[in-house]
Short mmCIF file of all heavy atoms in Angstrom, two decimals:
data_model
loop_
_atom_site.label_atom_id
_atom_site.label_comp_id
_atom_site.label_asym_id
_atom_site.label_seq_id
_atom_site.Cartn_x
_atom_site.Cartn_y
_atom_site.Cartn_z
N LYS A 2 -82.63 50.43 102.00
CA LYS A 2 -81.94 50.42 103.29
C LYS A 2 -82.84 51.02 104.37
O LYS A 2 -83.44 52.07 104.19
CB LYS A 2 -80.63 51.19 103.20
CG LYS A 2 -79.71 50.97 104.38
CD LYS A 2 -78.35 51.60 104.12
CE LYS A 2 -77.39 51.28 105.24
NZ LYS A 2 -76.03 51.84 105.00
N GLY A 3 -82.94 50.32 105.49
CA GLY A 3 -83.79 50.76 106.58
C GLY A 3 -85.19 50.19 106.52
O GLY A 3 -85.93 50.25 107.51
N ARG A 4 -85.58 49.64 105.38
CA ARG A 4 -86.92 49.04 105.23
C ARG A 4 -86.84 47.54 105.02
O ARG A 4 -87.74 46.81 105.45
CB ARG A 4 -87.64 49.68 104.04
CG ARG A 4 -87.85 51.17 104.17
CD ARG A 4 -88.75 51.70 103.05
NE ARG A 4 -88.14 51.51 101.73
CZ ARG A 4 -88.73 50.83 100.74
NH1 ARG A 4 -89.91 50.28 100.92
NH2 ARG A 4 -88.13 50.72 99.56
N PHE A 5 -85.81 47.07 104.34
CA PHE A 5 -85.65 45.64 104.04
C PHE A 5 -84.53 45.06 104.91
O PHE A 5 -83.53 45.74 105.18
CB PHE A 5 -85.28 45.43 102.58
CG PHE A 5 -86.37 45.74 101.58
CD1 PHE A 5 -87.53 46.41 101.94
CD2 PHE A 5 -86.22 45.35 100.26
CE1 PHE A 5 -88.52 46.70 101.01
CE2 PHE A 5 -87.19 45.63 99.32
CZ PHE A 5 -88.34 46.31 99.69
N THR A 6 -84.70 43.80 105.29
CA THR A 6 -83.67 43.09 106.04
C THR A 6 -83.44 41.72 105.41
O THR A 6 -84.37 40.91 105.32
CB THR A 6 -84.08 42.91 107.51
OG1 THR A 6 -84.32 44.19 108.10
CG2 THR A 6 -82.97 42.21 108.28
N ALA A 7 -82.22 41.49 104.97
CA ALA A 7 -81.85 40.19 104.41
C ALA A 7 -81.18 39.34 105.49
O ALA A 7 -80.48 39.87 106.35
CB ALA A 7 -80.90 40.38 103.23
N SER A 8 -81.41 38.05 105.40
CA SER A 8 -80.79 37.15 106.37
C SER A 8 -80.60 35.79 105.73
O SER A 8 -81.23 35.47 104.71
CB SER A 8 -81.66 37.01 107.63
OG SER A 8 -82.92 36.48 107.30
N ARG A 9 -79.71 35.00 106.33
CA ARG A 9 -79.55 33.63 105.85
C ARG A 9 -79.43 32.70 107.04
O ARG A 9 -78.81 33.05 108.04
CB ARG A 9 -78.39 33.48 104.90
CG ARG A 9 -77.04 33.97 105.36
CD ARG A 9 -76.05 33.70 104.25
NE ARG A 9 -74.77 34.32 104.45
CZ ARG A 9 -73.81 34.29 103.53
NH1 ARG A 9 -74.01 33.68 102.38
NH2 ARG A 9 -72.64 34.87 103.77
N ASP A 10 -80.04 31.54 106.90
CA ASP A 10 -80.08 30.54 107.95
C ASP A 10 -79.41 29.28 107.42
O ASP A 10 -79.98 28.57 106.60
CB ASP A 10 -81.54 30.27 108.35
CG ASP A 10 -81.66 29.39 109.57
OD1 ASP A 10 -80.78 28.53 109.78
OD2 ASP A 10 -82.64 29.53 110.31
N VAL A 11 -78.20 29.03 107.92
CA VAL A 11 -77.45 27.88 107.44
C VAL A 11 -78.14 26.58 107.80
O VAL A 11 -78.18 25.64 107.00
CB VAL A 11 -76.02 27.91 108.00
CG1 VAL A 11 -75.26 26.66 107.60
CG2 VAL A 11 -75.28 29.15 107.51
N SER A 12 -78.74 26.52 108.99
CA SER A 12 -79.38 25.28 109.44
C SER A 12 -80.58 24.91 108.57
O SER A 12 -80.89 23.73 108.39
CB SER A 12 -79.83 25.41 110.90
OG SER A 12 -80.84 26.40 111.02
N LYS A 13 -81.24 25.94 108.00
CA LYS A 13 -82.40 25.69 107.13
C LYS A 13 -82.05 25.83 105.65
O LYS A 13 -82.92 25.65 104.79
CB LYS A 13 -83.53 26.67 107.48
CG LYS A 13 -84.08 26.49 108.89
CD LYS A 13 -85.19 27.49 109.17
CE LYS A 13 -85.73 27.31 110.58
NZ LYS A 13 -86.81 28.29 110.89
N ASN A 14 -80.78 26.17 105.38
CA ASN A 14 -80.34 26.35 104.00
C ASN A 14 -81.24 27.33 103.25
O ASN A 14 -81.65 27.09 102.11
CB ASN A 14 -80.31 25.00 103.27
CG ASN A 14 -79.28 24.96 102.17
OD1 ASN A 14 -78.18 25.49 102.31
ND2 ASN A 14 -79.61 24.32 101.07
N THR A 15 -81.52 28.46 103.91
CA THR A 15 -82.49 29.41 103.38
C THR A 15 -81.97 30.84 103.42
O THR A 15 -81.34 31.25 104.39
CB THR A 15 -83.80 29.34 104.20
OG1 THR A 15 -84.34 28.02 104.10
CG2 THR A 15 -84.83 30.34 103.68
N LEU A 16 -82.25 31.58 102.35
CA LEU A 16 -81.98 33.01 102.28
C LEU A 16 -83.33 33.71 102.35
O LEU A 16 -84.29 33.27 101.70
CB LEU A 16 -81.29 33.34 100.95
CG LEU A 16 -81.03 34.80 100.64
CD1 LEU A 16 -79.94 35.35 101.54
CD2 LEU A 16 -80.64 34.96 99.18
N SER A 17 -83.42 34.78 103.14
CA SER A 17 -84.69 35.47 103.31
C SER A 17 -84.55 36.96 103.07
O SER A 17 -83.45 37.52 103.16
CB SER A 17 -85.23 35.25 104.73
OG SER A 17 -85.45 33.87 104.99
N LEU A 18 -85.68 37.60 102.77
CA LEU A 18 -85.74 39.05 102.63
C LEU A 18 -87.03 39.53 103.26
O LEU A 18 -88.11 39.30 102.72
CB LEU A 18 -85.68 39.47 101.15
CG LEU A 18 -85.64 40.98 100.90
CD1 LEU A 18 -84.30 41.55 101.39
CD2 LEU A 18 -85.83 41.29 99.43
N GLN A 19 -86.91 40.19 104.40
CA GLN A 19 -88.05 40.78 105.08
C GLN A 19 -88.23 42.20 104.55
O GLN A 19 -87.30 43.02 104.66
CB GLN A 19 -87.84 40.80 106.59
CG GLN A 19 -88.95 41.48 107.37
CD GLN A 19 -90.26 40.72 107.31
OE1 GLN A 19 -90.29 39.51 107.49
NE2 GLN A 19 -91.35 41.43 107.05
N MET A 20 -89.39 42.47 104.00
CA MET A 20 -89.65 43.78 103.39
C MET A 20 -90.76 44.48 104.16
O MET A 20 -91.89 43.99 104.23
CB MET A 20 -90.06 43.58 101.92
CG MET A 20 -89.05 42.80 101.11
SD MET A 20 -89.49 42.66 99.37
CE MET A 20 -90.97 41.68 99.48
N ASN A 21 -90.43 45.62 104.76
CA ASN A 21 -91.38 46.41 105.52
C ASN A 21 -91.58 47.77 104.86
O ASN A 21 -90.79 48.19 104.02
CB ASN A 21 -90.88 46.60 106.95
CG ASN A 21 -90.74 45.30 107.70
OD1 ASN A 21 -91.47 44.34 107.48
ND2 ASN A 21 -89.77 45.25 108.61
N SER A 22 -92.65 48.45 105.27
CA SER A 22 -92.94 49.79 104.74
C SER A 22 -92.88 49.82 103.21
O SER A 22 -92.26 50.70 102.61
CB SER A 22 -91.95 50.81 105.32
OG SER A 22 -92.01 50.83 106.73
N LEU A 23 -93.52 48.86 102.61
CA LEU A 23 -93.46 48.72 101.15
C LEU A 23 -94.12 49.88 100.45
O LEU A 23 -95.13 50.45 100.91
CB LEU A 23 -94.10 47.39 100.73
CG LEU A 23 -93.20 46.16 100.98
CD1 LEU A 23 -94.02 44.89 100.98
CD2 LEU A 23 -92.11 46.10 99.92
N LYS A 24 -93.54 50.24 99.31
CA LYS A 24 -94.02 51.36 98.49
C LYS A 24 -94.39 50.84 97.11
O LYS A 24 -93.88 49.81 96.66
CB LYS A 24 -92.90 52.40 98.35
CG LYS A 24 -92.33 52.91 99.66
CD LYS A 24 -91.16 53.84 99.40
CE LYS A 24 -90.55 54.33 100.70
NZ LYS A 24 -89.39 55.24 100.46
N PRO A 25 -95.24 51.55 96.40
CA PRO A 25 -95.59 51.12 95.04
C PRO A 25 -94.37 50.93 94.15
O PRO A 25 -94.36 50.03 93.30
CB PRO A 25 -96.49 52.26 94.54
CG PRO A 25 -97.13 52.79 95.77
CD PRO A 25 -96.06 52.71 96.83
N GLU A 26 -93.33 51.72 94.36
CA GLU A 26 -92.13 51.60 93.53
C GLU A 26 -91.32 50.36 93.85
O GLU A 26 -90.34 50.06 93.16
CB GLU A 26 -91.26 52.85 93.65
CG GLU A 26 -90.93 53.27 95.07
CD GLU A 26 -91.87 54.36 95.57
OE1 GLU A 26 -93.11 54.27 95.33
OE2 GLU A 26 -91.36 55.31 96.24
N ASP A 27 -91.69 49.62 94.89
CA ASP A 27 -91.06 48.33 95.18
C ASP A 27 -91.64 47.21 94.33
O ASP A 27 -91.15 46.08 94.36
CB ASP A 27 -91.21 47.97 96.66
CG ASP A 27 -90.47 48.92 97.59
OD1 ASP A 27 -89.32 49.26 97.26
OD2 ASP A 27 -91.05 49.28 98.63
N THR A 28 -92.70 47.50 93.60
CA THR A 28 -93.32 46.50 92.74
C THR A 28 -92.33 46.00 91.70
O THR A 28 -91.75 46.80 90.96
CB THR A 28 -94.56 47.08 92.04
OG1 THR A 28 -95.55 47.40 93.03
CG2 THR A 28 -95.15 46.10 91.03
N ALA A 29 -92.12 44.69 91.67
CA ALA A 29 -91.13 44.10 90.77
C ALA A 29 -91.14 42.59 90.89
O ALA A 29 -91.76 42.03 91.82
CB ALA A 29 -89.73 44.63 91.09
N LEU A 30 -90.43 41.97 89.99
CA LEU A 30 -90.13 40.54 90.10
C LEU A 30 -88.83 40.43 90.88
O LEU A 30 -87.82 41.04 90.49
CB LEU A 30 -90.01 39.93 88.71
CG LEU A 30 -90.01 38.42 88.58
CD1 LEU A 30 -91.29 37.81 89.15
CD2 LEU A 30 -89.86 38.02 87.11
N TYR A 31 -88.86 39.71 91.99
CA TYR A 31 -87.70 39.60 92.87
C TYR A 31 -86.99 38.27 92.64
O TYR A 31 -87.64 37.21 92.63
CB TYR A 31 -88.12 39.73 94.34
CG TYR A 31 -88.40 41.16 94.74
CD1 TYR A 31 -89.53 41.82 94.26
CD2 TYR A 31 -87.53 41.85 95.57
CE1 TYR A 31 -89.77 43.14 94.60
CE2 TYR A 31 -87.76 43.16 95.93
CZ TYR A 31 -88.89 43.81 95.44
OH TYR A 31 -89.13 45.11 95.77
N TYR A 32 -85.66 38.35 92.50
CA TYR A 32 -84.86 37.18 92.20
C TYR A 32 -83.85 36.90 93.31
O TYR A 32 -83.16 37.82 93.78
CB TYR A 32 -84.07 37.38 90.91
CG TYR A 32 -84.91 37.51 89.67
CD1 TYR A 32 -85.32 38.76 89.22
CD2 TYR A 32 -85.28 36.39 88.93
CE1 TYR A 32 -86.07 38.89 88.06
CE2 TYR A 32 -86.02 36.51 87.78
CZ TYR A 32 -86.42 37.76 87.35
OH TYR A 32 -87.16 37.88 86.21
N CYS A 33 -83.75 35.66 93.67
CA CYS A 33 -82.68 35.17 94.53
C CYS A 33 -81.46 34.90 93.64
O CYS A 33 -81.63 34.47 92.48
CB CYS A 33 -83.18 33.89 95.20
SG CYS A 33 -81.97 32.97 96.14
N ALA A 34 -80.26 35.16 94.15
CA ALA A 34 -79.07 35.01 93.33
C ALA A 34 -77.91 34.42 94.11
O ALA A 34 -77.72 34.75 95.29
CB ALA A 34 -78.66 36.38 92.78
N ARG A 35 -77.14 33.57 93.44
CA ARG A 35 -75.88 33.09 93.99
C ARG A 35 -74.78 33.59 93.09
O ARG A 35 -74.80 33.38 91.87
CB ARG A 35 -75.84 31.56 94.07
CG ARG A 35 -74.63 31.05 94.84
CD ARG A 35 -74.57 29.56 94.91
NE ARG A 35 -74.22 28.96 93.62
CZ ARG A 35 -73.94 27.68 93.46
NH1 ARG A 35 -73.98 26.86 94.50
NH2 ARG A 35 -73.64 27.21 92.26
N TYR A 36 -73.81 34.27 93.70
CA TYR A 36 -72.73 34.85 92.93
C TYR A 36 -71.67 33.81 92.57
O TYR A 36 -71.52 32.80 93.24
CB TYR A 36 -72.06 35.97 93.72
CG TYR A 36 -72.93 37.17 93.98
CD1 TYR A 36 -73.71 37.24 95.13
CD2 TYR A 36 -72.98 38.23 93.09
CE1 TYR A 36 -74.51 38.34 95.39
CE2 TYR A 36 -73.78 39.34 93.34
CZ TYR A 36 -74.54 39.38 94.48
OH TYR A 36 -75.34 40.47 94.73
#
């Protein structure tokens, strides 16, 4: 919280995740998910 921003664009049918101020502990495999 405060470093990442998620957004979705219906016109482009796209989900995004802007990640700023990245830290070594953010290292991971990132998955998109539909509930």
